[in-house]
Amino acid sequence: MKLFNTICIALCAIFVLSLSSLTAQTGTLRGNVFDKESGEPIIYGNLLLKGTTRGTTTNIDGFFTIPDIEPGNYTLIATYIGYDSITVDIEIKANQINYQRIELGSNAVQLGVVDVSSRREQARSEVQVSKIAVTPKEIRSLPSTGGEADIAQYLPVLPGIVVTGDQGGQLYIRGGSPIQNKILLDGMTIYNPFHSIGFFSVFETETIRSVDVLTGGFNAEHGGRISAVVDIKTREGNKKRLSGLVSASPFQAKALLEGPIKKDDGDGNSVSFLLTGKHSYLDQTSKILYDYATDTTFFSFAESDTTSLDDIGLPYQYTDLYGKLSFVGSNGSKLNLFGFNFQDRFNLEGIANLEWNTFGAGANFTLIPPRSNVVLSGTAALSNYDIMLVEADGNPRSSSINSFSALLNFAYFGSDSEINYGFEFNGFNTQFQFRNLFGVTFSQEDFTTEIAGYFKWRQKIGNLIIEPGIRLQYFASQTDMEFEPRFGLKYNFSDNFRLKAAGGFYSQNLISTVNERDIVNFFVGFLAGPESQLFKPDGVTAADHNLQKSWHAVGGVEYDYGNMQFNVEPYLKTFTQIININRNKRTAQDPNFVTETGEAYGIDFSVKYSDKDLYLWGTYSLAYVNRDDGQQVYPTIFDRRHNINFLGTYNFGKKRNWEFSVRWNFGSAFPFTTTQGFYQNVNFDDLLLTDFLSGNYDIGTILSDDRNDGRLSAYHRLDASLKNTINFTDRFSMETILSITNIYNRENVFYVDRLTNDRVNQLPILPSLGITFRF
């Protein structure tokens, strides 16, 4: 308690001292930088006051601020690679804010590379531990399945991220299961972001502005999850003219339309819209183009007398719709209204029929007061998710979650500091029902709310950057208030060499119907945390609380050499309590939930090279993920010891209108529990009529006492694509992309049927040709 009081007093004192700069006799320069053609923000653009060392870079909204400037006349220089530089004469007055709206025009010759220098400047001025920023261009550079770039295909390239399969596979981030990772779209939680065929997400790449992947040690602005955060933000529609695209491939068709309702004529005021939709017809095209994929993927269902393999195809269907209406003011303030409807279906007639649908709407805003250094932003949203699975046994599983949320954030910018504080409210109603293999029905209906307040402060002191944070999280259904300290730091030994570290405490109430022991599970449902008494893994000792909790500790080294960037991050996540549904519940008296503890630790290496025509990205991850169920410590089914990724993109041709991309992935074998034998599962309910000697009963399996004591075969796959762009006019072009997934047709194991010993593989070689028209 003494340490807690000391920390609070110190942070309050620092906060007061930081705010005291508001009374200093200096001025502030701030503004936004936009693309002159489309009105899109320039991200990572460079701003510099000529003749001084004062400068900054723009954020994802193109916003910048340079506070505490001595009064006087200055020349502001704005630069970004691929655009013409611009200079603006400005006057700074004491205790006043000078706002500048800057538009940059494209060079006659586009360099087409990310501005490495501005990214490095951000790396020097921000902590960014376990944070990977992904751009739409990087997503599109990946050899894409079906010729359709998607964040679902790019995430597994990142260090520390593992996917268990092409179909119904789950996303695991540094030892955290999917329910322990928060996926955000424009500030709204998306509960099931990936379609049943794991190559595609609900997010449309062409609408994405930025993706921040926080694999651990994230600060106080994020909460409610104990492993990781993926924060996806979409852009506004074109503010200057009507534009869009249409595309088609063997996997899906999509369209996007955007444009101004009130055109931006240079004053910065605009109203624009963006609409996009995509629909998969793979269930039909695969019968003709990929009939061989059916034979290798679903042959385990061949014994069904109601299903013909020739008629199955790849039985995946999905439809995604998203729309956005944006109001942007002359000073950078903006309001976005958005809505979506995402649908997915996986249908094997006579075997299983799964359908899920999620829809929602929301608003987010940024308010930049003309006379204050505080910037206000927020989000309000509501959504609904329903899923139903009907299998051959006739026992349906169903789950739904209806949620609403609100977030209010205040940001204050000092000369070498930034303070963020705010409040978050989440409420959700869950319904879930299923019957287990013992015939016991499990059902839950619950409503709960979560309220949080947070404070984060970043201060640069010479070469040192510190970033302490505090989050107070209240779980109403548990009547539990959690104090969650967070901390990050970075030390710049030179312009090219940096050390960093971060850590914190995390908690969550939401749990999933997907068990960490499930290799294949298309059914993804959700439940609120239990309110009844839980027990520790030994099954006897009462648990101290009913929440899932973890501690993170991350270190790191960053080094820049020419056009290359190196990053090394060792990490440790300690899961002090994990809650699962009791799949082995045999009677009504057995508990509905069981608990485990666990830990994940390892080290991630990455190297990136970028120049005018060549982009290279390589990663290696060494990881250990264990759980303790009170009986034994065992590796999880996603405990992949070694994971290697290589991605390369090369642009060539006189007009640089050809792009060749290649990606190779190697993953060491996943664990599984070995089979020791078989037995006849005799029903002893009627001892008089049961024929013990000659009866024919279902076969049961005898598993090893050591959980996950075996390993499947290693995974590796090579993908490549070749893209050509033809520009008919400045505003009308055609992209043709030839892609091949799994070039050398590696038979990667998905799972093995224990009774028949039939091996089910992941998807085989999949060539495709896609065409996109842009206007």
PDB file of all heavy atoms in Angstrom, residues 563-593:
ATOM      1  N   ASN A 563      18.960   0.712 -44.881  1.00  0.00           N
ATOM      2  CA  ASN A 563      17.544   0.479 -45.136  1.00  0.00           C
ATOM      3  C   ASN A 563      16.993  -0.717 -44.372  1.00  0.00           C
ATOM      4  O   ASN A 563      15.873  -1.166 -44.638  1.00  0.00           O
ATOM      5  CB  ASN A 563      17.293   0.259 -46.632  1.00  0.00           C
ATOM      6  CG  ASN A 563      17.482   1.533 -47.439  1.00  0.00           C
ATOM      7  OD1 ASN A 563      17.365   2.631 -46.899  1.00  0.00           O
ATOM      8  ND2 ASN A 563      17.773   1.388 -48.720  1.00  0.00           N
ATOM      9  N   MET A 564      17.782  -1.224 -43.430  1.00  0.00           N
ATOM     10  CA  MET A 564      17.378  -2.406 -42.678  1.00  0.00           C
ATOM     11  C   MET A 564      17.014  -2.029 -41.247  1.00  0.00           C
ATOM     12  O   MET A 564      17.608  -1.124 -40.657  1.00  0.00           O
ATOM     13  CB  MET A 564      18.495  -3.455 -42.679  1.00  0.00           C
ATOM     14  CG  MET A 564      18.901  -3.925 -44.065  1.00  0.00           C
ATOM     15  SD  MET A 564      20.177  -5.211 -44.025  1.00  0.00           S
ATOM     16  CE  MET A 564      19.230  -6.585 -43.364  1.00  0.00           C
ATOM     17  N   GLN A 565      16.036  -2.742 -40.698  1.00  0.00           N
ATOM     18  CA  GLN A 565      15.610  -2.563 -39.322  1.00  0.00           C
ATOM     19  C   GLN A 565      15.567  -3.930 -38.636  1.00  0.00           C
ATOM     20  O   GLN A 565      14.945  -4.863 -39.150  1.00  0.00           O
ATOM     21  CB  GLN A 565      14.217  -1.918 -39.265  1.00  0.00           C
ATOM     22  CG  GLN A 565      14.143  -0.548 -39.897  1.00  0.00           C
ATOM     23  CD  GLN A 565      12.715  -0.078 -40.080  1.00  0.00           C
ATOM     24  OE1 GLN A 565      12.052  -0.383 -41.072  1.00  0.00           O
ATOM     25  NE2 GLN A 565      12.216   0.660 -39.100  1.00  0.00           N
ATOM     26  N   PHE A 566      16.261  -4.025 -37.507  1.00  0.00           N
ATOM     27  CA  PHE A 566      16.313  -5.263 -36.736  1.00  0.00           C
ATOM     28  C   PHE A 566      15.548  -5.069 -35.430  1.00  0.00           C
ATOM     29  O   PHE A 566      15.626  -4.010 -34.809  1.00  0.00           O
ATOM     30  CB  PHE A 566      17.754  -5.666 -36.422  1.00  0.00           C
ATOM     31  CG  PHE A 566      18.606  -5.914 -37.630  1.00  0.00           C
ATOM     32  CD1 PHE A 566      19.289  -4.870 -38.250  1.00  0.00           C
ATOM     33  CD2 PHE A 566      18.731  -7.185 -38.164  1.00  0.00           C
ATOM     34  CE1 PHE A 566      20.080  -5.090 -39.367  1.00  0.00           C
ATOM     35  CE2 PHE A 566      19.520  -7.427 -39.280  1.00  0.00           C
ATOM     36  CZ  PHE A 566      20.195  -6.375 -39.880  1.00  0.00           C
ATOM     37  N   ASN A 567      14.830  -6.114 -35.027  1.00  0.00           N
ATOM     38  CA  ASN A 567      14.095  -6.054 -33.768  1.00  0.00           C
ATOM     39  C   ASN A 567      14.157  -7.412 -33.082  1.00  0.00           C
ATOM     40  O   ASN A 567      13.926  -8.445 -33.719  1.00  0.00           O
ATOM     41  CB  ASN A 567      12.630  -5.672 -34.008  1.00  0.00           C
ATOM     42  CG  ASN A 567      11.871  -5.418 -32.722  1.00  0.00           C
ATOM     43  OD1 ASN A 567      12.081  -4.422 -32.059  1.00  0.00           O
ATOM     44  ND2 ASN A 567      10.979  -6.327 -32.365  1.00  0.00           N
ATOM     45  N   VAL A 568      14.484  -7.413 -31.789  1.00  0.00           N
ATOM     46  CA  VAL A 568      14.537  -8.637 -30.987  1.00  0.00           C
ATOM     47  C   VAL A 568      13.740  -8.388 -29.716  1.00  0.00           C
ATOM     48  O   VAL A 568      13.957  -7.373 -29.043  1.00  0.00           O
ATOM     49  CB  VAL A 568      15.982  -9.029 -30.631  1.00  0.00           C
ATOM     50  CG1 VAL A 568      15.992 -10.315 -29.809  1.00  0.00           C
ATOM     51  CG2 VAL A 568      16.827  -9.186 -31.886  1.00  0.00           C
ATOM     52  N   GLU A 569      12.804  -9.305 -29.392  1.00  0.00           N
ATOM     53  CA  GLU A 569      11.973  -9.129 -28.200  1.00  0.00           C
ATOM     54  C   GLU A 569      11.793 -10.448 -27.446  1.00  0.00           C
ATOM     55  O   GLU A 569      11.058 -11.323 -27.909  1.00  0.00           O
ATOM     56  CB  GLU A 569      10.592  -8.578 -28.571  1.00  0.00           C
ATOM     57  CG  GLU A 569      10.608  -7.121 -28.995  1.00  0.00           C
ATOM     58  CD  GLU A 569       9.211  -6.547 -29.159  1.00  0.00           C
ATOM     59  OE1 GLU A 569       8.227  -7.297 -28.978  1.00  0.00           O
ATOM     60  OE2 GLU A 569       9.114  -5.351 -29.443  1.00  0.00           O
ATOM     61  N   PRO A 570      12.444 -10.627 -26.287  1.00  0.00           N
ATOM     62  CA  PRO A 570      12.083 -11.732 -25.396  1.00  0.00           C
ATOM     63  C   PRO A 570      10.855 -11.343 -24.575  1.00  0.00           C
ATOM     64  O   PRO A 570      10.648 -10.155 -24.285  1.00  0.00           O
ATOM     65  CB  PRO A 570      13.321 -11.880 -24.509  1.00  0.00           C
ATOM     66  CG  PRO A 570      13.940 -10.520 -24.505  1.00  0.00           C
ATOM     67  CD  PRO A 570      13.617  -9.880 -25.825  1.00  0.00           C
ATOM     68  N   TYR A 571      10.041 -12.329 -24.201  1.00  0.00           N
ATOM     69  CA  TYR A 571       8.803 -12.009 -23.491  1.00  0.00           C
ATOM     70  C   TYR A 571       8.430 -13.135 -22.532  1.00  0.00           C
ATOM     71  O   TYR A 571       8.860 -14.288 -22.670  1.00  0.00           O
ATOM     72  CB  TYR A 571       7.656 -11.782 -24.475  1.00  0.00           C
ATOM     73  CG  TYR A 571       7.291 -13.010 -25.278  1.00  0.00           C
ATOM     74  CD1 TYR A 571       6.325 -13.914 -24.832  1.00  0.00           C
ATOM     75  CD2 TYR A 571       7.921 -13.282 -26.493  1.00  0.00           C
ATOM     76  CE1 TYR A 571       6.006 -15.047 -25.559  1.00  0.00           C
ATOM     77  CE2 TYR A 571       7.597 -14.409 -27.231  1.00  0.00           C
ATOM     78  CZ  TYR A 571       6.649 -15.285 -26.760  1.00  0.00           C
ATOM     79  OH  TYR A 571       6.338 -16.411 -27.471  1.00  0.00           O
ATOM     80  N   LEU A 572       7.594 -12.781 -21.575  1.00  0.00           N
ATOM     81  CA  LEU A 572       7.021 -13.736 -20.621  1.00  0.00           C
ATOM     82  C   LEU A 572       5.601 -13.305 -20.304  1.00  0.00           C
ATOM     83  O   LEU A 572       5.348 -12.146 -19.986  1.00  0.00           O
ATOM     84  CB  LEU A 572       7.846 -13.789 -19.335  1.00  0.00           C
ATOM     85  CG  LEU A 572       7.211 -14.553 -18.153  1.00  0.00           C
ATOM     86  CD1 LEU A 572       7.112 -16.038 -18.460  1.00  0.00           C
ATOM     87  CD2 LEU A 572       8.001 -14.325 -16.876  1.00  0.00           C
ATOM     88  N   LYS A 573       4.657 -14.242 -20.445  1.00  0.00           N
ATOM     89  CA  LYS A 573       3.286 -14.027 -20.004  1.00  0.00           C
ATOM     90  C   LYS A 573       2.939 -15.107 -18.989  1.00  0.00           C
ATOM     91  O   LYS A 573       3.058 -16.302 -19.279  1.00  0.00           O
ATOM     92  CB  LYS A 573       2.304 -14.106 -21.179  1.00  0.00           C
ATOM     93  CG  LYS A 573       2.419 -12.975 -22.188  1.00  0.00           C
ATOM     94  CD  LYS A 573       1.378 -13.129 -23.293  1.00  0.00           C
ATOM     95  CE  LYS A 573       1.500 -12.008 -24.320  1.00  0.00           C
ATOM     96  NZ  LYS A 573       0.515 -12.147 -25.426  1.00  0.00           N
ATOM     97  N   THR A 574       2.536 -14.681 -17.809  1.00  0.00           N
ATOM     98  CA  THR A 574       2.118 -15.611 -16.755  1.00  0.00           C
ATOM     99  C   THR A 574       0.613 -15.501 -16.580  1.00  0.00           C
ATOM    100  O   THR A 574       0.101 -14.438 -16.198  1.00  0.00           O
ATOM    101  CB  THR A 574       2.833 -15.294 -15.431  1.00  0.00           C
ATOM    102  OG1 THR A 574       4.248 -15.407 -15.607  1.00  0.00           O
ATOM    103  CG2 THR A 574       2.386 -16.259 -14.344  1.00  0.00           C
ATOM    104  N   PHE A 575      -0.099 -16.575 -16.893  1.00  0.00           N
ATOM    105  CA  PHE A 575      -1.559 -16.607 -16.760  1.00  0.00           C
ATOM    106  C   PHE A 575      -1.897 -17.200 -15.388  1.00  0.00           C
ATOM    107  O   PHE A 575      -1.800 -18.408 -15.174  1.00  0.00           O
ATOM    108  CB  PHE A 575      -2.176 -17.440 -17.885  1.00  0.00           C
ATOM    109  CG  PHE A 575      -1.861 -16.931 -19.261  1.00  0.00           C
ATOM    110  CD1 PHE A 575      -0.804 -17.454 -19.986  1.00  0.00           C
ATOM    111  CD2 PHE A 575      -2.610 -15.909 -19.826  1.00  0.00           C
ATOM    112  CE1 PHE A 575      -0.501 -16.984 -21.257  1.00  0.00           C
ATOM    113  CE2 PHE A 575      -2.319 -15.425 -21.097  1.00  0.00           C
ATOM    114  CZ  PHE A 575      -1.258 -15.965 -21.807  1.00  0.00           C
ATOM    115  N   THR A 576      -2.278 -16.339 -14.464  1.00  0.00           N
ATOM    116  CA  THR A 576      -2.518 -16.789 -13.089  1.00  0.00           C
ATOM    117  C   THR A 576      -3.851 -17.509 -12.941  1.00  0.00           C
ATOM    118  O   THR A 576      -4.041 -18.264 -11.992  1.00  0.00           O
ATOM    119  CB  THR A 576      -2.458 -15.599 -12.115  1.00  0.00           C
ATOM    120  OG1 THR A 576      -3.414 -14.607 -12.528  1.00  0.00           O
ATOM    121  CG2 THR A 576      -1.064 -14.977 -12.130  1.00  0.00           C
ATOM    122  N   GLN A 577      -4.788 -17.268 -13.856  1.00  0.00           N
ATOM    123  CA  GLN A 577      -6.028 -18.046 -13.875  1.00  0.00           C
ATOM    124  C   GLN A 577      -6.653 -17.991 -15.266  1.00  0.00           C
ATOM    125  O   GLN A 577      -6.835 -16.925 -15.837  1.00  0.00           O
ATOM    126  CB  GLN A 577      -7.036 -17.539 -12.843  1.00  0.00           C
ATOM    127  CG  GLN A 577      -8.345 -18.347 -12.816  1.00  0.00           C
ATOM    128  CD  GLN A 577      -9.135 -18.146 -11.550  1.00  0.00           C
ATOM    129  OE1 GLN A 577      -8.812 -18.718 -10.511  1.00  0.00           O
ATOM    130  NE2 GLN A 577     -10.170 -17.334 -11.623  1.00  0.00           N
ATOM    131  N   ILE A 578      -6.971 -19.173 -15.808  1.00  0.00           N
ATOM    132  CA  ILE A 578      -7.673 -19.325 -17.080  1.00  0.00           C
ATOM    133  C   ILE A 578      -8.930 -20.140 -16.805  1.00  0.00           C
ATOM    134  O   ILE A 578      -8.878 -21.151 -16.091  1.00  0.00           O
ATOM    135  CB  ILE A 578      -6.788 -20.034 -18.123  1.00  0.00           C
ATOM    136  CG1 ILE A 578      -5.546 -19.196 -18.427  1.00  0.00           C
ATOM    137  CG2 ILE A 578      -7.572 -20.303 -19.399  1.00  0.00           C
ATOM    138  CD1 ILE A 578      -4.534 -19.913 -19.286  1.00  0.00           C
ATOM    139  N   ILE A 579     -10.063 -19.717 -17.353  1.00  0.00           N
ATOM    140  CA  ILE A 579     -11.344 -20.367 -17.084  1.00  0.00           C
ATOM    141  C   ILE A 579     -11.861 -21.020 -18.357  1.00  0.00           C
ATOM    142  O   ILE A 579     -11.923 -20.384 -19.419  1.00  0.00           O
ATOM    143  CB  ILE A 579     -12.373 -19.358 -16.547  1.00  0.00           C
ATOM    144  CG1 ILE A 579     -11.837 -18.663 -15.289  1.00  0.00           C
ATOM    145  CG2 ILE A 579     -13.703 -20.048 -16.252  1.00  0.00           C
ATOM    146  CD1 ILE A 579     -12.715 -17.528 -14.803  1.00  0.00           C
ATOM    147  N   ASN A 580     -12.253 -22.299 -18.263  1.00  0.00           N
ATOM    148  CA  ASN A 580     -12.814 -23.043 -19.389  1.00  0.00           C
ATOM    149  C   ASN A 580     -14.126 -23.707 -18.990  1.00  0.00           C
ATOM    150  O   ASN A 580     -14.359 -23.987 -17.799  1.00  0.00           O
ATOM    151  CB  ASN A 580     -11.844 -24.138 -19.859  1.00  0.00           C
ATOM    152  CG  ASN A 580     -10.593 -23.571 -20.499  1.00  0.00           C
ATOM    153  OD1 ASN A 580     -10.657 -22.667 -21.328  1.00  0.00           O
ATOM    154  ND2 ASN A 580      -9.435 -24.096 -20.116  1.00  0.00           N
ATOM    155  N   ILE A 581     -14.973 -23.975 -19.985  1.00  0.00           N
ATOM    156  CA  ILE A 581     -16.162 -24.787 -19.743  1.00  0.00           C
ATOM    157  C   ILE A 581     -15.717 -26.200 -19.387  1.00  0.00           C
ATOM    158  O   ILE A 581     -14.784 -26.741 -19.981  1.00  0.00           O
ATOM    159  CB  ILE A 581     -17.061 -24.810 -20.986  1.00  0.00           C
ATOM    160  CG1 ILE A 581     -17.614 -23.417 -21.264  1.00  0.00           C
ATOM    161  CG2 ILE A 581     -18.202 -25.794 -20.820  1.00  0.00           C
ATOM    162  CD1 ILE A 581     -18.422 -23.335 -22.542  1.00  0.00           C
ATOM    163  N   ASN A 582     -16.389 -26.803 -18.441  1.00  0.00           N
ATOM    164  CA  ASN A 582     -16.081 -28.179 -18.036  1.00  0.00           C
ATOM    165  C   ASN A 582     -16.668 -29.148 -19.062  1.00  0.00           C
ATOM    166  O   ASN A 582     -17.840 -29.504 -19.012  1.00  0.00           O
ATOM    167  CB  ASN A 582     -16.648 -28.459 -16.645  1.00  0.00           C
ATOM    168  CG  ASN A 582     -16.264 -29.846 -16.136  1.00  0.00           C
ATOM    169  OD1 ASN A 582     -15.508 -30.580 -16.784  1.00  0.00           O
ATOM    170  ND2 ASN A 582     -16.782 -30.205 -14.967  1.00  0.00           N
ATOM    171  N   ARG A 583     -15.834 -29.561 -20.026  1.00  0.00           N
ATOM    172  CA  ARG A 583     -16.300 -30.468 -21.078  1.00  0.00           C
ATOM    173  C   ARG A 583     -16.587 -31.877 -20.533  1.00  0.00           C
ATOM    174  O   ARG A 583     -17.272 -32.658 -21.189  1.00  0.00           O
ATOM    175  CB  ARG A 583     -15.236 -30.571 -22.170  1.00  0.00           C
ATOM    176  CG  ARG A 583     -14.928 -29.243 -22.863  1.00  0.00           C
ATOM    177  CD  ARG A 583     -16.096 -28.785 -23.713  1.00  0.00           C
ATOM    178  NE  ARG A 583     -15.781 -27.594 -24.493  1.00  0.00           N
ATOM    179  CZ  ARG A 583     -15.246 -27.614 -25.698  1.00  0.00           C
ATOM    180  NH1 ARG A 583     -14.960 -28.756 -26.271  1.00  0.00           N
ATOM    181  NH2 ARG A 583     -14.994 -26.497 -26.342  1.00  0.00           N
ATOM    182  N   ASN A 584     -16.051 -32.201 -19.369  1.00  0.00           N
ATOM    183  CA  ASN A 584     -16.210 -33.550 -18.800  1.00  0.00           C
ATOM    184  C   ASN A 584     -17.301 -33.602 -17.737  1.00  0.00           C
ATOM    185  O   ASN A 584     -17.316 -34.501 -16.907  1.00  0.00           O
ATOM    186  CB  ASN A 584     -14.885 -34.031 -18.206  1.00  0.00           C
ATOM    187  CG  ASN A 584     -13.819 -34.193 -19.276  1.00  0.00           C
ATOM    188  OD1 ASN A 584     -14.090 -34.676 -20.362  1.00  0.00           O
ATOM    189  ND2 ASN A 584     -12.606 -33.762 -18.954  1.00  0.00           N
ATOM    190  N   LYS A 585     -18.202 -32.645 -17.759  1.00  0.00           N
ATOM    191  CA  LYS A 585     -19.300 -32.638 -16.792  1.00  0.00           C
ATOM    192  C   LYS A 585     -20.206 -33.838 -17.043  1.00  0.00           C
ATOM    193  O   LYS A 585     -20.782 -33.987 -18.123  1.00  0.00           O
ATOM    194  CB  LYS A 585     -20.081 -31.326 -16.917  1.00  0.00           C
ATOM    195  CG  LYS A 585     -21.272 -31.243 -15.986  1.00  0.00           C
ATOM    196  CD  LYS A 585     -21.906 -29.865 -16.021  1.00  0.00           C
ATOM    197  CE  LYS A 585     -23.135 -29.863 -15.097  1.00  0.00           C
ATOM    198  NZ  LYS A 585     -23.430 -28.547 -14.572  1.00  0.00           N
ATOM    199  N   ARG A 586     -20.349 -34.707 -16.040  1.00  0.00           N
ATOM    200  CA  ARG A 586     -21.131 -35.930 -16.182  1.00  0.00           C
ATOM    201  C   ARG A 586     -22.479 -35.856 -15.476  1.00  0.00           C
ATOM    202  O   ARG A 586     -23.418 -36.541 -15.867  1.00  0.00           O
ATOM    203  CB  ARG A 586     -20.340 -37.129 -15.646  1.00  0.00           C
ATOM    204  CG  ARG A 586     -19.073 -37.424 -16.452  1.00  0.00           C
ATOM    205  CD  ARG A 586     -18.261 -38.517 -15.803  1.00  0.00           C
ATOM    206  NE  ARG A 586     -17.042 -38.811 -16.558  1.00  0.00           N
ATOM    207  CZ  ARG A 586     -16.944 -39.726 -17.503  1.00  0.00           C
ATOM    208  NH1 ARG A 586     -18.003 -40.454 -17.810  1.00  0.00           N
ATOM    209  NH2 ARG A 586     -15.824 -39.929 -18.150  1.00  0.00           N
ATOM    210  N   THR A 587     -22.564 -35.060 -14.420  1.00  0.00           N
ATOM    211  CA  THR A 587     -23.807 -34.938 -13.672  1.00  0.00           C
ATOM    212  C   THR A 587     -24.104 -33.470 -13.431  1.00  0.00           C
ATOM    213  O   THR A 587     -23.244 -32.603 -13.595  1.00  0.00           O
ATOM    214  CB  THR A 587     -23.727 -35.658 -12.312  1.00  0.00           C
ATOM    215  OG1 THR A 587     -22.786 -34.969 -11.464  1.00  0.00           O
ATOM    216  CG2 THR A 587     -23.264 -37.097 -12.486  1.00  0.00           C
ATOM    217  N   ALA A 588     -25.338 -33.202 -13.028  1.00  0.00           N
ATOM    218  CA  ALA A 588     -25.733 -31.825 -12.755  1.00  0.00           C
ATOM    219  C   ALA A 588     -24.952 -31.231 -11.593  1.00  0.00           C
ATOM    220  O   ALA A 588     -24.846 -30.011 -11.457  1.00  0.00           O
ATOM    221  CB  ALA A 588     -27.234 -31.769 -12.465  1.00  0.00           C
ATOM    222  N   GLN A 589     -24.400 -32.101 -10.727  1.00  0.00           N
ATOM    223  CA  GLN A 589     -23.655 -31.615  -9.567  1.00  0.00           C
ATOM    224  C   GLN A 589     -22.218 -31.212  -9.907  1.00  0.00           C
ATOM    225  O   GLN A 589     -21.580 -30.487  -9.141  1.00  0.00           O
ATOM    226  CB  GLN A 589     -23.620 -32.690  -8.463  1.00  0.00           C
ATOM    227  CG  GLN A 589     -24.961 -32.914  -7.766  1.00  0.00           C
ATOM    228  CD  GLN A 589     -25.968 -33.612  -8.662  1.00  0.00           C
ATOM    229  OE1 GLN A 589     -25.605 -34.530  -9.419  1.00  0.00           O
ATOM    230  NE2 GLN A 589     -27.227 -33.194  -8.592  1.00  0.00           N
ATOM    231  N   ASP A 590     -21.715 -31.676 -11.040  1.00  0.00           N
ATOM    232  CA  ASP A 590     -20.354 -31.307 -11.425  1.00  0.00           C
ATOM    233  C   ASP A 590     -20.291 -29.825 -11.779  1.00  0.00           C
ATOM    234  O   ASP A 590     -21.265 -29.253 -12.276  1.00  0.00           O
ATOM    235  CB  ASP A 590     -19.899 -32.139 -12.630  1.00  0.00           C
ATOM    236  CG  ASP A 590     -19.669 -33.593 -12.281  1.00  0.00           C
ATOM    237  OD1 ASP A 590     -19.453 -33.882 -11.091  1.00  0.00           O
ATOM    238  OD2 ASP A 590     -19.730 -34.447 -13.200  1.00  0.00           O
ATOM    239  N   PRO A 591     -19.138 -29.173 -11.537  1.00  0.00           N
ATOM    240  CA  PRO A 591     -19.032 -27.735 -11.826  1.00  0.00           C
ATOM    241  C   PRO A 591     -19.131 -27.453 -13.323  1.00  0.00           C
ATOM    242  O   PRO A 591     -18.739 -28.272 -14.164  1.00  0.00           O
ATOM    243  CB  PRO A 591     -17.643 -27.373 -11.280  1.00  0.00           C
ATOM    244  CG  PRO A 591     -16.876 -28.655 -11.295  1.00  0.00           C
ATOM    245  CD  PRO A 591     -17.879 -29.731 -10.990  1.00  0.00           C
ATOM    246  N   ASN A 592     -19.675 -26.288 -13.648  1.00  0.00           N
ATOM    247  CA  ASN A 592     -19.784 -25.879 -15.048  1.00  0.00           C
ATOM    248  C   ASN A 592     -18.452 -25.415 -15.624  1.00  0.00           C
ATOM    249  O   ASN A 592     -18.256 -25.454 -16.839  1.00  0.00           O
ATOM    250  CB  ASN A 592     -20.813 -24.752 -15.193  1.00  0.00           C
ATOM    251  CG  ASN A 592     -22.238 -25.231 -14.985  1.00  0.00           C
ATOM    252  OD1 ASN A 592     -22.560 -26.388 -15.276  1.00  0.00           O
ATOM    253  ND2 ASN A 592     -23.076 -24.360 -14.467  1.00  0.00           N
ATOM    254  N   PHE A 593     -17.556 -24.964 -14.751  1.00  0.00           N
ATOM    255  CA  PHE A 593     -16.297 -24.388 -15.205  1.00  0.00           C
ATOM    256  C   PHE A 593     -15.130 -24.987 -14.442  1.00  0.00           C
ATOM    257  O   PHE A 593     -15.271 -25.384 -13.275  1.00  0.00           O
ATOM    258  CB  PHE A 593     -16.299 -22.861 -15.023  1.00  0.00           C
ATOM    259  CG  PHE A 593     -17.394 -22.157 -15.765  1.00  0.00           C
ATOM    260  CD1 PHE A 593     -18.612 -21.907 -15.151  1.00  0.00           C
ATOM    261  CD2 PHE A 593     -17.207 -21.742 -17.072  1.00  0.00           C
ATOM    262  CE1 PHE A 593     -19.626 -21.254 -15.826  1.00  0.00           C
ATOM    263  CE2 PHE A 593     -18.217 -21.084 -17.761  1.00  0.00           C
ATOM    264  CZ  PHE A 593     -19.432 -20.850 -17.140  1.00  0.00           C
TER     265      PHE A 593
END
